[in-house]
Amino acid sequence: MATLRAMPVLQVTDVDRSVAFYGQLGFASHGTWGDPPAFCIVQRGDVTLALDRGEGQPPVNQWWAAYIYVEDAEALQAEFDALNVQTTQMHRPTEYGCIDFDVVDPDGHRIAFGQSLNPVPGPGLDTDRGRG
């Protein structure tokens, strides 16, 4: 049985505020559930995130809550910069074959947008992964 896609679920304190933030990043809302809103699914292209209002302070990952692969990380960062979305400096590590930058959402979740430097066509891992 093939797996199709993943949807990271981010715990947030205010769904409306998070929908507005991810909307600024180009994610469209599929609507909210609850009054006040307790859950929302947002999507940009084939990437889907769920925003779930939890009780108390959301847990924050040690580093990334989600890593989103994109075709052109530099162009996307320029798009976000033009919208006055705060991004980190472009990372250019050598150990994992991607360039990437991060945004931090209103609840402190760090979301990376990365471009593989050695992509392979179709689904699957890039050529710099799966070794060892």
Side-chain angles (χ1 to χ4, degrees):
M1 172 84 49
T3 55
L4 300 177
R5 60 185 176 159
M7 180 177 70
V9 179
L10 304 176
Q11 183 180 336
V12 300
T13 55
D14 183 323
V15 171
D16 286 331
R17 179 182 70 178
S18 294
V19 169
F21 176 80
Y22 285 97
Q24 191 176 11
L25 301 182
F27 284 80
S29 169
H30 286 267
T32 59
W33 290 265
D35 186 23
F39 190 81
C40 182
I41 296 172
V42 295
Q43 186 169 357
R44 178 175 173 152
D46 291 334
V47 175
T48 307
L49 300 172
L51 308 172
D52 183 25
R53 187 186 73 225
E55 300 298 322
Q57 186 63 29
V60 178
N61 295 54
Q62 178 180 341
W63 192 244
W64 293 314
Y67 192 100
I68 299 170
Y69 287 91
V70 299
E71 288 181 339
D72 188 335
E74 291 174 333
L76 185 62
Q77 186 175 39
E79 176 186 323
F80 289 174
D81 289 346
L83 295 168
N84 293 317
V85 173
Q86 186 173 356
T87 65
T88 64
Q89 182 176 359
M90 184 69 68
H91 308 132
R92 298 183 186 279
T94 57
E95 60 272 13
Y96 59 90
C98 294
I99 60 171
D100 48 51
F101 68 94
D102 304 340
V103 299
V104 178
D105 80 4
D107 289 291
H109 298 295
R110 184 176 292 272
I111 310 298
F113 294 88
Q115 173 186 343
S116 175
L117 300 177
N118 301 302
V120 294
L125 298 176
D126 297 332
T127 57
D128 55 329
R129 300 179 153 226
R131 294 183 188 155

